[in-house]
Amino acid sequence: MRVLAWLIITGISGCAHYNLPASHLETPEARGGGVGRLELAGVLMGTDLVERPVLSSPDPESGDAPEPEARSAVTPALGFVASLSEKIDLGVRLQPMAPLSVRFKYQLSGAPEASASQGNLSAALAIAPGILVGRSSGSTVTYYSIDLAVPAGYRLGPNHLLSLSPFLTLAGLSGTAETAARAPGGSSSPAGISATSGAGSTASATQYGVGLGYQYMIAPLWFRAEITTAGGSMGDTALGGYFFGVMTGFLLN
């Protein structure tokens, strides 16, 4: 209960760092029955949108300086997904330092999770808008995001689901004194962002990629893992890399 309360408070109010999740841990199958699914505990990776980016060494042949790269971040997560029909799920996910996201999933093809068997081919459309409003250095910080994914999967067996999930995420962050879009090394002019005196910086980010996921389930318990490769940018700073996430929970019937 203490962990739940901490996640709710920090997930809504925000803190000094703001992360853009790359791990989705979403399946192409809607629940298809019962109350839904509880995401009891998870660890997700993403990108820190506030920490100053880092530079790798210049190219030894051309001498060109590489573009700044944003730092990765790891956060816990929990959530709940309600089964509205055989094809539709509606849920919410809480992550500290990331927008509180509302998740809508519509299954486009295949049988839902409650009745899926070996060989089931499935695909879905998943949309997750989110917002976080907090305080940083005395200023109000607004952080929003919207994520679009099209997961597709195949059941290797009754309890084994393999999925591939391409995605696109758009995000905006305003009111912070620093963002990852700023050039590293103490440059006085931020790269690719605008700033309003006394109100902090405003920056937008784009992230895209694909996640390879696996779910194992012995009802009512389930375990999910995902490895993601992503790219994107925030101002002159590159976002992306390889990310890993895991989550476990149980079904609510």
Side-chain angles (χ1 to χ4, degrees), residues 87-103:
K87 292 179 177 284
I88 299 176
D89 284 350
L90 182 64
V92 63
R93 180 174 288 171
L94 296 167
Q95 271 184 266
M97 304 173 283
L100 173 66
S101 62
V102 177
R103 301 155 61 202

Side-chain angles (χ1 to χ4, degrees), residues 42-133:
V43 177
L44 281 68
M45 290 187 68
T47 300
D48 193 324
L49 299 183
V50 175
E51 187 75 14
R52 280 180 171 266
V54 295
L55 285 174
S56 55
S57 301
D59 187 290
E61 296 183 359
S62 66
D64 294 336
E67 62 183 345
E69 295 180 355
R71 302 172 189 263
S72 61
V74 180
T75 59
L78 58 79
F80 170 74
V81 176
S83 176
L84 301 186
S85 72
E86 279 198 350
K87 292 179 177 284
I88 299 176
D89 284 350
L90 182 64
V92 63
R93 180 174 288 171
L94 296 167
Q95 271 184 266
M97 304 173 283
L100 173 66
S101 62
V102 177
R103 301 155 61 202
F104 172 83
K105 179 167 65 178
Y106 179 78
Q107 188 166 343
L108 301 171
S109 63
E113 185 178 71
S115 58
S117 58
Q118 183 175 352
N120 185 50
L121 284 168
S122 55
L125 175 65
I127 302 173
I131 190 168
L132 182 153
V133 178

Side-chain angles (χ1 to χ4, degrees), residues 94-234:
L94 296 167
Q95 271 184 266
M97 304 173 283
L100 173 66
S101 62
V102 177
R103 301 155 61 202
F104 172 83
K105 179 167 65 178
Y106 179 78
Q107 188 166 343
L108 301 171
S109 63
E113 185 178 71
S115 58
S117 58
Q118 183 175 352
N120 185 50
L121 284 168
S122 55
L125 175 65
I127 302 173
I131 190 168
L132 182 153
V133 178
R135 302 283 294 178
S136 178
S137 302
S139 299
T140 298
V141 178
T142 302
Y143 176 17
Y144 70 87
S145 67
I146 182 165
D147 183 85
L148 173 65
V150 187
Y154 176 77
R155 277 204 171 266
L156 303 172
N159 300 322
H160 305 272
L161 175 63
L162 192 66
S163 62
L164 199 64
S165 182
F167 67 89
L168 171 67
T169 308
L170 304 176
L173 181 64
S174 64
T176 60
E178 297 286 344
T179 74
R182 284 184 181 270
S187 172
S188 59
S189 58
I193 65 174
S194 61
T196 303
S197 178
S201 301
T202 300
S204 59
T206 301
Q207 181 176 252
Y208 50 85
V210 61
L212 177 63
Y214 167 76
Q215 177 177 280
Y216 177 73
M217 181 171 66
I218 300 182
L221 301 177
W222 55 266
F223 170 82
R224 195 176 298 165
E226 181 184 78
I227 184 168
T228 301
T229 177
S233 62
M234 184 179 189

